[in-house]
Amino acid sequence: MTVGVGVIGTGMIGTQHVHRLSRAVMGSSVAAVFDVATDRAAALAQEVGARAAGSWSELVEDPQVDAVLIASPGDLHAEQVLACLAAGKPVLCEKPLATTADDALKVVQAEAAGGRRLIQVGFMRRYDAGFRDVKAAIDGGVIGEPLLAHAVHRNPGVPDTFVGEMSLTDSLVHEFDTFRWLFGQEITATTVVKVRQSPLGAAHLRDPQIVLLELANGAVVDAESFVNCQYGYDVRCEIVGSTVTVALDNPRTTMVLGEGRRGESVPPDWGVRFGQAYADELQEWIGALAGGATIAHGASDAWDGYAASVVAETAVASFAQHARTEVQLVDRPALYDREAGR
Amino acid sequence: MTVGVGVIGTGMIGTQHVHRLSRAVMGSSVAAVFDVATDRAAALAQEVGARAAGSWSELVEDPQVDAVLIASPGDLHAEQVLACLAAGKPVLCEKPLATTADDALKVVQAEAAGGRRLIQVGFMRRYDAGFRDVKAAIDGGVIGEPLLAHAVHRNPGVPDTFVGEMSLTDSLVHEFDTFRWLFGQEITATTVVKVRQSPLGAAHLRDPQIVLLELANGAVVDAESFVNCQYGYDVRCEIVGSTVTVALDNPRTTMVLGEGRRGESVPPDWGVRFGQAYADELQEWIGALAGGATIAHGASDAWDGYAASVVAETAVASFAQHARTEVQLVDRPALYDREAGR
Amino acid sequence: MTVGVGVIGTGMIGTQHVHRLSRAVMGSSVAAVFDVATDRAAALAQEVGARAAGSWSELVEDPQVDAVLIASPGDLHAEQVLACLAAGKPVLCEKPLATTADDALKVVQAEAAGGRRLIQVGFMRRYDAGFRDVKAAIDGGVIGEPLLAHAVHRNPGVPDTFVGEMSLTDSLVHEFDTFRWLFGQEITATTVVKVRQSPLGAAHLRDPQIVLLELANGAVVDAESFVNCQYGYDVRCEIVGSTVTVALDNPRTTMVLGEGRRGESVPPDWGVRFGQAYADELQEWIGALAGGATIAHGASDAWDGYAASVVAETAVASFAQHARTEVQLVDRPALYDREAGR
Amino acid sequence: MTVGVGVIGTGMIGTQHVHRLSRAVMGSSVAAVFDVATDRAAALAQEVGARAAGSWSELVEDPQVDAVLIASPGDLHAEQVLACLAAGKPVLCEKPLATTADDALKVVQAEAAGGRRLIQVGFMRRYDAGFRDVKAAIDGGVIGEPLLAHAVHRNPGVPDTFVGEMSLTDSLVHEFDTFRWLFGQEITATTVVKVRQSPLGAAHLRDPQIVLLELANGAVVDAESFVNCQYGYDVRCEIVGSTVTVALDNPRTTMVLGEGRRGESVPPDWGVRFGQAYADELQEWIGALAGGATIAHGASDAWDGYAASVVAETAVASFAQHARTEVQLVDRPALYDREAGR
């Protein structure tokens, strides 16, 4: 059985997903594509033998579309996900699930009311080999009790469209999901720490910054965000256990000795670093759907997407108020009754 | 278009290939399976919805079989490959192409007479990300002129069936292909150097040993084979250029700090180390066939398989005679008229 | 000219210093030794050909004693240092300069009144090759503008005598000096962050913990203290600059491949990790004195010792009050008029 | 007791030794200095308060000279060492002990006739922390049985005075001593392997090259010499044991992340790489003399110097004859009756 996927949004990431679904993922075909940039959508549709839908709602309703992948601008996500729920179709929504915690909550409540998990949120790190090794070390008891973590998330630079609190809502939001997942604990409070600013950063950004995340079991994560570090895309962390620590490094295949130095390359961007994770995310999703499930095992679900949105909003408040701010989550519906973050 | 593949041999590697072709490779299906262990073949065929052929020649002739993958015992390879040639079907033959250089030559001559390259030999390292990075560094001029290389190829241990000169013909044969490919040069002589034997090795093995490979342009490789190193599966090399060196390390995702040490894990076996390379090899082969080609770009072809066999036989002679031994290749047929090893 | 040193305190570190001064440091001799454990002091004195003084004040007054090294319990340091000032003798005082900021201030004021810097405080990291390389990278502009730092300071375990806030006053106090020195900036505030406790820690300790240090120029350091990490003595840090980061790793000489892992050893304790730094500290001190100076270039002086004490006291207050606490320093006397931390 | 040292030769290394002996080594003073460049010798003598001797033989006879350090051109070593033997004075001779094996043998025979070991040869690697860790791992049984080793010895470049077979006699001679010492075995044969030449090397050099060393117990070392590798001074090796391998890496203190790469620096030259080893060599020598011995424990003695010379001469013959060449040593005099290489 081939899963027909409808893809909403044909920007960079949407286009990559269309290519992956049609070329690299077993068991899927791209049934329909939509973008407000209709020419781009049409060209892409033709390239992969899909239909160019006239609107995103038409795409959702299309009987050839078994499942929907949302890669549109974030402020449309909640409405589009709700439409998928209404149509009873599985949906993989690129992060964020919604741009406000309230909207994310509406999605959670709608899904909970339906009684069936259909929504998956695109936190692709859960499919990265390195992060999975870290998770396995924690869950396997290799490090004893996990107590705290250090994390860095650096980009060489960001486009002019990267503004305001996006280092929290767009960049560190990955860490919000990552550490909920790794520790299997909700985040209960955030503190955004003001740091000396890089002279190379855009004037409208606060960059770099450090965010403290407190988890329900008392563990703490200090996470650095630095979106114009200049030298590369660098995502690393060290989880400190009671007996052992495990650290995620950048993948390495070769070492070069030259010009007085011995070293390895740092990924230039997130596409290089996490390209395989994106492919594996899609493959596991399609595989789950082909097997009759509506969401892949271990994936970020709507609750995870909601929690990440609340944490991001809390961090923005902490930033604005220069103070530690507590995370307020609603009671988790029974539909999501498994360990937090799993 | 889906490529129907017939798989001959359902031992460990054949079974893995069947699973990859049916689950992980885009554009292929397993059309037929054969093994002298007919029950095993039948069970596997049923599992993936393929036909269990009554003989390997029947499989080759099967009109549902667009291409053949040979994973039978090595001494059957040449005959089976020749049958594929006769049937005009593309074939991916696990290494070795043949167990004697003479048989390999017959295959080359038959293919050359046919005037069309149909044969690909399963030297999967050419699909490994690390080896590809090394190749790119050399070809891109990053290291200046490549002058020499150091290589190690270690297994934690080998089964009792690993006997005689198999460390040359079965293990180091990978290095023979690798360094022809990396340097783009034929190997012109080999010297097997006697080394102090491990007390843990089987009495009938000479283990470890060092083999010197001389390349046509004067470059030299010293390659260590150690098939019972105990600690893991460890394939590394360093290519020394006139200005820079590039070294292949084991892939690393995480570092563990514990019990007084900081370190990374070494792959336990070749399946873990090169599993992705096998998958990528199959995907590129199927992709090439689906695109109308008969062999993937950059793959080991029959000439490469022949050359590797001759080098292995030369190394065995060097071992027996305790002397440097020159590699004698026939003139390369025009069909293979590209840079050696490419 | 040989510098005659009087050593007060012959516990573990005092005894090591006596041995270094008599065996490994050029230009010094141990003139006198004192300890309340008179037998131990007498034996050590005899071993190195020194006099066993009847009291520490007698030692300070001894005309054979050109300079004093204080390795007594911390609560005696201030009084002993003041006596050295009164005697006009250079003194190297093991950290802390005093156990209260008030006492440290008295020392600073007395020295400032005397108009001559005679006091050096034993923050030995300033002599470690790795920390010096980090300092050189910062000062040399290699990393651009230094913006923030991450630090860990872990011990495998601590004795029962390690109690209360000693993880701040005895362990992290090294980081307080280190980052003042590396950044050339005073610390202006500290925040001790409560972290999930290790089940292996003594009940009376809060372990691990994270401390945020704010520097005068806005840079921030997050420093982890973990005094029972089990696996080794592990001091590392990463300084994040506007273009480059530089990280201090444990020294490495060899790599071991065994039992499925590839790695290097972690120092078992601070003696192994910083033994050379202690020796170099003494050598530079003696060299400075032999050359007519009263303190080594770049060493921690009384002001540095005072500042570290104030930061430690501030951190203790932050711990007690669960709140960010500002560091209150007196105006720096002109005697110490150079860049802070230098 | 202060050991008065006479230093013959005030070129770069001689001058460094004079400075070390007068500034950094406990228990020594430079009593006299000689060089045919009399002005340079006089200036250096004045700088350190030594006498400028009128000839090297006058220096050897000087009653203020308790021990002699020879840093003159290599072709003078044998004669000068013999004079020290005649004078009954301990001597530390920079490598080589002699420029011909015959001359080295004369020195061995003279010393053996005297019945007392007075001669130490300056193979300073035996004092390097990394090489000592490798030695300890082997001797401690950490790696099981040592079976083979891989080694590289690279210089960024060499002066015009580096000619002919100096890559064997001047550069790889360090490996000849190192592996005799590490394995505790004599080298029994050498094979110099011709390798593709670097286009950047001087026309009169064969560079790089690979030399195979066979040890008495069957272990084999492949050692690369590359004297114009361009990128740095790089000495590494990996000792392969029956269960574990141990590898010597360049020392590392810090890691730099910048410009798309993460790495550590490679030493620029041997002075940086082995400066501490030279200092420790002198300190252990002086310490041994001060303690009444005539040679430091574990140092290279005259037999080691002779053996290294014979191996170097054998390698030169192998180079000239393009053939494996056996090492011919005389019977070892009883004076050197300890494990070879110790």
Side-chain angles (χ1 to χ4, degrees), chain A residues 44-90:
Chain A
L44 186 61
Q46 184 171 18
E47 178 188 342
V48 301
R51 192 167 76 83
S55 69
W56 65 258
S57 52
E58 182 191 312
L59 177 145
V60 171
E61 299 299 331
D62 187 336
Q64 303 298 316
V65 169
D66 301 312
V68 179
L69 194 161
I70 298 176
S72 58
D75 54 1
L76 300 174
H77 286 189
E79 184 184 6
Q80 291 168 344
V81 169
L82 287 169
C84 294
L85 283 184
K89 294 190 177 176

Side-chain angles (χ1 to χ4, degrees), chain D:
Chain D
M1 191 210 93
T2 296
V3 178
V5 180
V7 177
I8 304 176
T10 61
M12 182 175 64
I13 199 163
T15 298
Q16 289 177 351
H17 281 322
V18 166
H19 286 149
R20 285 190 191 101
L21 287 167
S22 57
R23 296 176 190 163
V25 172
M26 288 281 291
S28 70
S29 68
V30 179
V33 161
F34 171 76
D35 200 294
V36 291
T38 51
D39 287 356
R40 186 172 65 188
L44 185 61
Q46 183 171 20
E47 179 188 342
V48 300
R51 194 167 75 85
S55 70
W56 65 258
S57 53
E58 181 191 314
L59 177 145
V60 171
E61 299 299 331
D62 186 337
Q64 303 298 315
V65 169
D66 302 311
V68 179
L69 195 161
I70 298 177
S72 57
D75 54 2
L76 300 174
H77 287 188
E79 183 183 7
Q80 292 168 345
V81 169
L82 287 169
C84 294
L85 282 183
K89 295 190 177 177
V91 54
L92 171 49
C93 179
E94 270 304 314
K95 56 97 189 166
L97 176 59
T99 47
T100 69
D102 278 352
D103 281 350
L105 179 58
K106 282 177 197 153
V107 172
V108 161
Q109 289 169 333
E111 187 178 47
R116 195 160 60 121
R117 289 199 293 161
L118 288 167
I119 304 166
Q120 185 169 322
V121 181
F123 287 115
M124 76 295 179
R125 288 185 185 177
R126 296 190 182 200
Y127 300 88
D128 175 65
F131 274 110
R132 288 195 159 185
D133 286 347
V134 171
K135 175 75 167 157
I138 296 173
D139 290 352
V142 170
I143 69 169
E145 290 294 316
L147 303 175
L148 62 89
H150 309 290
V152 303
H153 183 152
R154 300 178 189 149
N155 285 276
V158 285
D160 291 344
T161 53
F162 193 97
V163 294
E165 306 88 348
M166 285 180 70
S167 60
L168 301 171
T169 59
D170 197 68
S171 181
L172 275 188
V173 72
H174 281 288
E175 271 69 23
F176 303 159
D177 184 68
T178 294
F179 289 99
R180 288 181 66 255
W181 170 64
L182 288 177
F183 281 80
Q185 298 283 324
E186 294 293 357
I187 295 170
T188 56
T190 70
T191 310
V192 180
V193 179
K194 192 176 173 186
V195 173
R196 187 179 189 215
Q197 298 301 283
S198 169
L200 303 176
H204 60 275
L205 289 177
R206 204 161 83 172
D207 189 48
Q209 53 193 4
I210 293 173
V211 180
L212 300 179
L213 307 176
E214 301 173 35
L215 299 174
N217 68 351
V220 170
V221 181
D222 54 63
E224 173 203 322
S225 164
F226 192 3
V227 301
N228 82 104
C229 81
Q230 308 294 320
Y231 68 80
Y233 180 76
D234 195 12
V235 168
R236 288 177 287 126
C237 62
E238 180 180 18
I239 318 297
V240 182
S242 50
T243 55
V244 164
T245 88
V246 58
L248 176 82
D249 257 321
N250 286 305
R252 172 206 64 197
T253 58
T254 55
M255 297 286 281
V256 170
L257 269 162
E259 296 184 353
R261 300 201 66 75
R262 173 173 179 256
E264 61 205 60
S265 58
V266 175
D269 56 44
W270 53 264
V272 169
R273 174 64 183 86
F274 288 115
Q276 188 65 44
Y278 279 110
D280 291 347
E281 177 187 47
L282 289 186
Q283 184 65 70
E284 292 202 22
W285 183 54
I286 295 296
L289 301 189
T294 55
I295 177 173
H297 178 76
S300 291
D301 64 14
W303 178 259
D304 296 318
Y306 161 70
S309 289
V310 177
V311 174
E313 218 157 77
T314 307
V316 169
S318 170
F319 168 82
Q321 298 156 18
H322 304 293
R324 173 180 179 275
T325 307
E326 298 199 353
V327 173
Q328 307 287 352
L329 296 175
V330 299
D331 288 343
R332 193 175 62 204
L335 177 64
Y336 308 101
D337 221 9
R338 34 205 171 102
E339 192 176 349
R342 307 269 165 126

Side-chain angles (χ1 to χ4, degrees), chain C residues 291-337:
Chain C
T294 55
I295 179 174
H297 179 75
S300 291
D301 65 14
W303 177 259
D304 295 317
Y306 160 71
S309 290
V310 175
V311 174
E313 219 157 76
T314 307
V316 170
S318 171
F319 168 82
Q321 298 158 17
H322 304 293
R324 173 179 179 276
T325 307
E326 298 198 353
V327 173
Q328 306 288 351
L329 297 175
V330 299
D331 287 344
R332 193 175 61 202
L335 179 63
Y336 309 102
D337 222 8

Side-chain angles (χ1 to χ4, degrees), chain B residues 31 35 151:
Chain B
D35 198 292

